[in-house]
């Protein structure tokens, strides 16, 4: 039984989510990757180190990759014995998965938190804002096409595997493959990346104003943390969308998550509840955030955070 995973490089760097997919896929047997990008040796080595035996590499150059990638992958899968194809939550992943499903006449199961293969493929996901857990059994002919949630699996090296690279010819997809990438813009940022930071300090409407995020920036600097926010503060224009943690933002799983002035709406909680330790600061003792917090501080965030900053400065 073979499980395929979709992997993408952006500007020569492998999307780390592909390594999470590989780590879970190797539990089911042989793992094959379909890699879209320049095919850097570092990317191939990383995939091999995480259990991928074969890498089918497609370089789409400056073409928008979704259409040619779906066409090429469909051809490879039609000639193979794949049981399952795993995609991450990225935009290209989702686009290719949808196009692939149309070409193969299969359904797509999305937002997976876990996948199991025992005779049939079963997928666990959540609905209704994370309040209900659902298990979906895929009874259609193989391969099952599954899109996972961010951080659904942990990337863990298997060690010692050198992947075999198989070049894939760029298919002719006509007008659907004619879109070209003419320019790329990388958002400037400082400090750790929100998705991979070991500590995240997030703020909500309880901060009261956009300028109050300055104290969270200071706290994050002392902790080596990234700064996040709720959908409410993003919608209010206090911080950019890149800060948003939640169902329609980013999913984070840091070692420590500090929620400052956040009530705990389900839309936010689904994006951070997997954190190892959750610390909540809120003046409302009945705030829902305390129901999932490992440590709760009932107090005014404008007093508690400055005191925490002073204490950290004193220790350093």
């Amino acid at each position: 039984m073979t499980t395929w995973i979709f992997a993408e490089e952006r500007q020569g760097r492998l999307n780390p989510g592909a390594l999470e997919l590989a780590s879970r896929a190797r539990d089911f047997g042989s793992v094959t990757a379909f890699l879209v990008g320049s095919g850097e040796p570092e990317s191939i080595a990383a995939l091999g180190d995480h259990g991928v035996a074969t890498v089918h590499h497609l370089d789409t150059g400056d073409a928008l990759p979704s259409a040619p990638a779906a066409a090429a992958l469909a051809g490879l899968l039609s000639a193979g014995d794949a049981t399952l194809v795993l995609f991450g939550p990225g935009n290209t992943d989702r686009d290719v998965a949808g196009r692939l499903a149309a070409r193969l006449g299969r359904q797509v199961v999305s937002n997976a938190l876990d996948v199991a293969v025992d005779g049939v493929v079963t997928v666990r996901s959540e609905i209704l804002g994370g309040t209900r857990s659902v298990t979906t059994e895929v009874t259609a002919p193989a391969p099952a096409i599954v899109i996972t949630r961010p951080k659904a699996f942990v990337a863990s090296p298997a060690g010692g595997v050198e992947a075999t690279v198989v070049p894939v010819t760029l298919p002719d997809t006509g007008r659907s493959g004619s879109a070209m990438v003419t320019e790329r813009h990388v958002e400037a940022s400082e400090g750790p990346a929100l998705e991979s930071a070991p500590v995240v300090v997030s703020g909500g409407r309880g901060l009261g104003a956009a300028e109050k995020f300055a104290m969270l920036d200071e706290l994050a600097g002392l902790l080596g943390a990234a700064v996040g926010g709720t959908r409410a503060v993003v919608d209010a224009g206090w911080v950019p969308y890149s800060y948003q943690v939640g169902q329609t933002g980013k999913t984070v799983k840091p070692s420590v998550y500090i929620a400052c002035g956040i009530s705990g709406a389900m839309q936010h909680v689904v994006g951070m509840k997997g954190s190892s330790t959750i610390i909540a600061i809120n003046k409302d003792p009945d705030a829902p955030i305390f129901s999932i917090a490992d440590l709760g501080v009932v107090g005014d965030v404008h007093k508690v955070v400055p005191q925490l900053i002073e204490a950290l400065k004193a220790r350093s």
Side-chain angles (χ1 to χ4, degrees):
M1 183 183 71
T2 302
T3 299
W4 285 61
I5 66 166
F6 182 81
E8 182 187 19
E9 288 175 315
R10 287 287 182 89
Q11 296 177 310
R13 300 184 67 177
L14 181 68
N15 182 348
L19 304 181
E20 299 170 12
L21 299 180
S23 298
R24 185 68 177 110
R26 69 174 186 256
D27 293 336
F28 310 137
S30 177
V31 184
T32 297
F34 183 81
L35 173 64
V36 176
S38 55
E40 299 298 323
E42 294 81 2
S43 300
I44 305 297
L47 288 168
D49 195 40
H50 285 75
V52 175
T54 306
V55 177
H56 292 267
H57 171 230
L58 174 67
D59 188 350
T60 58
D62 291 328
L64 203 64
S66 299
L73 182 54
L76 292 169
L77 292 172
S78 297
D81 61 346
T83 301
L84 170 66
V85 187
L86 290 176
F87 290 86
N91 293 333
T92 303
D93 292 68
R94 289 179 174 274
D95 198 3
V96 173
R99 291 171 182 266
L100 177 65
R103 285 181 173 273
L104 297 181
R106 302 289 187 273
Q107 297 78 30
V108 177
V109 183
S110 61
N111 296 325
L113 292 171
D114 196 13
V115 181
V117 181
D118 185 12
V120 295
V121 175
T122 56
V123 179
R124 184 174 67 84
S125 56
E126 292 180 343
I127 61 173
L128 302 177
T131 60
R132 295 289 186 273
S133 181
V134 175
T135 299
T136 302
E137 183 176 289
V138 182
T139 58
I145 302 173
V146 177
I147 301 174
T148 64
R149 287 279 297 168
K151 305 290 184 181
F153 313 120
V154 177
S156 56
V161 178
E162 184 175 348
T164 300
V165 180
V166 180
V168 177
T169 302
L170 185 67
D172 182 4
T173 54
R175 290 181 61 86
S176 64
S178 62
M180 305 296 290
V181 178
T182 59
E183 193 173 359
R184 297 184 186 274
H185 298 275
V186 179
E187 185 176 27
S189 62
E190 296 181 1
L194 182 58
E195 300 96 319
S196 58
V199 181
V200 173
V201 179
S202 280
R205 288 296 291 267
L207 290 177
E211 55 267 23
K212 297 299 183 180
F213 265 85
M215 66 179 178
L216 299 193
D217 290 333
E218 185 176 4
L219 176 59
L222 292 167
L223 295 172
V227 178
T230 63
R231 176 177 175 176
V233 300
V234 171
D235 288 347
W238 293 2
V239 292
Y241 174 72
S242 59
Y243 280 50
Q244 186 172 321
V245 174
Q247 190 171 24
T248 54
K250 295 176 180 176
T251 297
V252 297
K253 290 187 177 182
S255 298
V256 179
Y257 188 90
I258 305 176
C260 304
I262 295 174
S263 63
M266 187 56 65
Q267 202 278 345
H268 180 73
V269 168
V270 296
M272 46 69 74
K273 64 181 181 180
S275 305
S276 299
T277 301
I278 299 172
I279 301 172
I281 305 170
N282 200 296
K283 64 181 180 182
D284 179 6
D286 297 320
I289 192 70
F290 288 126
S291 67
I292 63 166
D294 299 285
L295 172 63
V297 180
V298 180
D300 186 346
V301 68
H302 303 101
K303 296 179 180 179
V304 175
V305 172
Q307 290 177 8
L308 178 56
I309 289 172
E310 292 304 315
L312 289 170
K313 286 180 176 179
R315 291 183 60 181
S316 61

